[in-house]
Amino acid sequence: MVRSVRIVGAGLIGTSIGLALAAKNIAVEMIDVDSRNQALAQDLTGGVSIAEPELIILATPLRALSQVINEQYELNPNSTFMDVCSVKVEPLQKVQASKLPLKQFVGTHPMAGREVGGAESARADLFLSRSWIITPDAQSDSEAVAKVKWLIQLLGATCVELDAVSHDAAVARVSHLPQITATLLAGSLHGVAPEWLDLAGAGLRDTTRIAASDENLWKEIISSNSQEVKALLTNLHNELGAMIDAVDDEERIAVIMRKGRDGRNLIPGKHGGKAREYTYVPIVIDDKPGQLGAIFNECAAMSVNVEDLVIEHSPGQLNALITLALSADDAVKLSNHLSSIGWNVHPIRK
Amino acid sequence: MVRSVRIVGAGLIGTSIGLALAAKNIAVEMIDVDSRNQALAQDLTGGVSIAEPELIILATPLRALSQVINEQYELNPNSTFMDVCSVKVEPLQKVQASKLPLKQFVGTHPMAGREVGGAESARADLFLSRSWIITPDAQSDSEAVAKVKWLIQLLGATCVELDAVSHDAAVARVSHLPQITATLLAGSLHGVAPEWLDLAGAGLRDTTRIAASDENLWKEIISSNSQEVKALLTNLHNELGAMIDAVDDEERIAVIMRKGRDGRNLIPGKHGGKAREYTYVPIVIDDKPGQLGAIFNECAAMSVNVEDLVIEHSPGQLNALITLALSADDAVKLSNHLSSIGWNVHPIRK
């Protein structure tokens, strides 16, 4: 439905979109202020020059948006425009202040990304199975919205419609607050003795994983969404204060912890919608090539579907712990079969 | 070296130790105040009654420790005693206040566990490749310490020696602070619109995963370690206050985020010691049985070692994204090979 797309900004998101479109034989043009980024992105996407792109995707940092909007509108006043910023109110305000008529613009936000950035980290399948939010303004042309929805679905994402203000409030909750929390927790590790850090387990790793995020990207996001973020941080600040007051009181601690446990259960399962309940089959295998393949061959022979897998190595030991996640029935079937042919299968668990 | 062990407390840790010992043909007796827990644990471990156990492992909640110490010492005044509590100062104080002579006691803490608890979740390989801290007092008998170290190594864990005070400070940093942070973040999700929670990605999931922990276990840990925990929470409270002040200032935000990123890089890699740097090979496969097995067969044929694997499904789509982690050389070798035989391999990345 859209045959030609110009993408302005050859970062992770822009280039990934370019790769995905190229894989679907849509004509793509990649532009970037940095000529080396542009050259790489053009190479990766087989990018061409397009005089009259049907759609122009703005994939630049927030600070460049106003200038780029006006430049691009001057070049191609008939194109449909969309952005991919992580916030949606400020881009809309920038469009309102620009020459670009609102009817030709659709704000969007692909909920996808990686801790690494840049065109060199781009992936055509970055958006597969992810949510992609659109925040069309009342004035957005229905044709323009249709084009944008079409592209999103082409890239394998699920289109979610929100208004811009709700979007910024929502991502403050599910993305910005966790980011800041991870950042502050990781920041507290400076000066800790290395022998103590050696004791770090999954808990510390999980809670600080996203602290690896790019500060240049995030400084824009947080300051753009500062009102929402400030409100949430202030609530957290109060809750933290309450916890400090409660540290000597077991019953108060238990109430706070129970609240956290119940809160976590509100998060939907990995695939969205209802939480999936898997059954886990732990198997101790020799840590050498061939073992995993043999297990997966047995899975195929049994026609069971492995939903997830975790590998836990034993440093200095010649074995590893593999935990497969399957449906309850498949787990029983697989576990019985593998045990019967001599695999070191541990009791299945939820 | 130790031929008979009585374990008092048939929870996750106690029963897992029992299972591990039973697998090594050490005589095990499982005791629990709850007769059903005890029966289950005895069944699982093939437990027997032992009149004179060489080693008695105290695996009860902290609140039961004093009573159990005295009871057990009365029964078996010649045994060596060890505990497995998540804090080490308070158990030591309880022993000092009890009839049990310090020389017969060694404080320990296996850095292992799961969000689920109870004997029914026990695993013989729970301690494989984990750190197991011991905090022997100056008065602890060297024979007693040797027995405990022997057991730890038998169970596949790595023995780490610390004094009790340092232990409590260390776990406050790497375990208790992350726990509380996850709890508070998860607790903030109450009242959030379900459509917003549907947008939750890996960031929110990772940062709140351990909020599923058991409040009855953690209320004891936090209040026992309240002094250390309070200090860390107060620091975090201050940092959070600074972040609130900085939300409109991009440069200040960037400094805070950079500090978090650098802090995260201080955490050693998955296998302890130096951080491992893997190279990642993303492959899009059809989401059906046989595919994973076929890939792993190719890995074996190429003699490459797969260090880790992540599976990302596409709901409603018939494919999945598999990302294999290998050494840099293996990644190139495997990627080239798989591509050459027609697999949909995406560019390797760090």
Side-chain angles (χ1 to χ4, degrees), chain A residues 202 206 261 264, chain B residues 12 113-117 209-214:
Chain A
D206 283 353
R261 189 145 70 89
R264 180 179 173 272
Chain B
L12 173 71
R114 302 181 46 214
E115 282 108 40
V116 285
R209 183 164 294 114
I210 54 175
S213 295
D214 173 12

Side-chain angles (χ1 to χ4, degrees), chain B residues 5 17 70 74 112 146 201 231 273 294 305 339:
Chain B
V5 180
I17 295 174
N70 286 327
E74 191 136 337
N305 208 33
S339 297

Side-chain angles (χ1 to χ4, degrees), chain B residues 136-212:
Chain B
D137 186 78
Q139 296 187 48
S140 301
D141 188 67
S142 56
E143 267 283 318
V145 175
K147 282 182 185 168
V148 167
K149 283 184 171 176
W150 178 85
L151 179 134
I152 289 171
Q153 281 151 7
L154 184 74
L155 267 44
T158 304
C159 204
V160 176
E161 213 165 313
L162 280 177
D163 65 274
V165 170
S166 298
H167 167 279
D168 286 8
V171 295
R173 288 270 192 185
V174 304
S175 173
H176 305 170
L177 185 62
Q179 174 62 60
I180 293 168
T181 306
T183 286
L184 294 179
L185 189 55
S188 77
L189 298 176
H190 290 281
V192 177
E195 315 81 70
W196 292 13
L197 289 172
D198 278 346
L199 302 171
L204 181 61
R205 292 197 166 86
D206 282 352
T207 45
T208 57
R209 183 164 294 114
I210 54 175

Side-chain angles (χ1 to χ4, degrees), chain A:
Chain A
M1 189 187 173
V2 173
R3 283 163 295 268
S4 58
V5 180
R6 176 185 301 149
I7 301 172
V8 186
L12 173 70
I13 299 294
T15 311
S16 294
I17 295 174
L19 284 173
L21 292 174
K24 304 280 184 183
N25 295 317
I26 312 287
V28 172
E29 177 178 23
M30 299 294 313
I31 307 271
D32 197 282
V33 286
D34 180 318
S35 57
R36 280 180 320 167
N37 277 351
Q38 180 168 311
L40 173 62
Q42 286 275 83
D43 270 354
L44 286 173
T45 60
V48 294
S49 284
I50 302 172
E52 298 283 348
E54 285 179 64
L55 177 65
I56 296 178
I57 301 181
L58 308 162
T60 71
L62 205 48
R63 57 187 168 274
L65 211 56
S66 296
Q67 181 180 338
V68 167
I69 289 169
N70 285 328
E71 282 170 358
Q72 291 296 315
Y73 181 70
E74 190 135 338
L75 287 171
N76 295 98
N78 296 318
S79 297
T80 296
F81 286 71
M82 69 179 253
D83 82 314
V84 292
C85 291
S86 301
V87 287
K88 298 271 48 79
V89 169
E90 190 172 333
L92 187 60
Q93 290 169 340
K94 288 181 188 288
V95 171
Q96 283 166 333
S98 76
K99 300 193 177 78
L100 172 64
L102 260 179
K103 64 173 164 56
Q104 282 167 255
F105 175 76
V106 183
T108 88
H109 175 203
M111 299 286 284
R114 301 181 47 215
E115 280 109 39
V116 286
E120 63 275 15
S121 304
R123 282 164 39 185
D125 36 55
L126 193 73
F127 311 101
L128 265 184
S129 86
R130 310 309 297 268
S131 297
W132 196 315
I133 303 170
I134 66 169
T135 57
D137 186 78
Q139 296 187 48
S140 300
D141 188 66
S142 56
E143 266 282 320
V145 175
K147 283 181 184 170
V148 167
K149 284 183 169 176
W150 179 85
L151 179 134
I152 289 172
Q153 281 151 8
L154 184 74
L155 267 44
T158 305
C159 205
V160 177
E161 212 164 315
L162 281 176
D163 64 275
V165 172
S166 299
H167 166 278
D168 286 9
V171 294
R173 288 269 193 185
V174 304
S175 173
H176 304 170
L177 185 63
Q179 174 63 59
I180 293 168
T181 305
T183 286
L184 293 179
L185 190 54
S188 78
L189 297 176
H190 289 281
V192 177
E195 314 82 70
W196 292 12
L197 290 171
D198 278 347
L199 302 171
L204 182 60
R205 292 197 167 86
D206 283 353
T207 45
T208 58
R209 183 162 294 112
I210 55 175
S213 296
D214 174 14
E215 63 267 20
N216 290 315
L217 175 68
W218 276 90
K219 72 185 185 186
E220 288 195 330
I221 296 172
I222 290 170
S223 63
S224 181
N225 206 15
S226 62
Q227 196 176 333
E228 292 288 345
V229 166
K230 192 167 191 165
L232 296 182
L233 289 180
T234 303
N235 288 342
L236 186 65
H237 196 246
N238 293 336
E239 296 295 318
L240 192 41
M243 185 73 206
I244 291 170
D245 288 339
V247 282
D248 289 301
D249 185 334
E250 287 196 6
E251 292 324 306
R252 283 177 69 189
I253 295 170
V255 167
I256 292 169
M257 299 220 47
R258 184 64 194 258
K259 184 182 176 191
R261 189 145 70 89
D262 292 342
R264 180 179 173 272
N265 286 335
L266 297 172
I267 302 173
K270 203 165 153 161
H271 298 259
K274 283 210 310 280
R276 287 285 183 84
E277 295 223 329
Y278 296 134
T279 302
Y280 298 91
V281 182
I283 310 159
V284 177
I285 67 170
D286 293 334
D287 190 19
K288 66 190 190 204
Q291 295 269 289
L292 273 174
I295 287 180
F296 279 106
N297 285 339
E298 298 298 336
C299 293
M302 287 279 111
S303 297
V304 297
N305 208 32
V306 175
E307 299 281 352
D308 204 353
L309 174 147
V310 175
I311 301 176
E312 211 170 309
H313 277 212
S314 317
Q317 300 216 354
L318 300 173
N319 59 17
L321 178 64
I322 306 298
T323 307
L324 304 178
L326 308 94
S327 70
D329 290 343
D330 277 358
V332 172
K333 190 173 164 189
L334 180 69
S335 172
N336 290 341
H337 171 67
L338 290 179
S339 299
S340 75
I341 58 172
W343 287 92
N344 184 3
V345 183
H346 196 90
I348 65 179
R349 57 175 177 88
K350 278 281 170 193

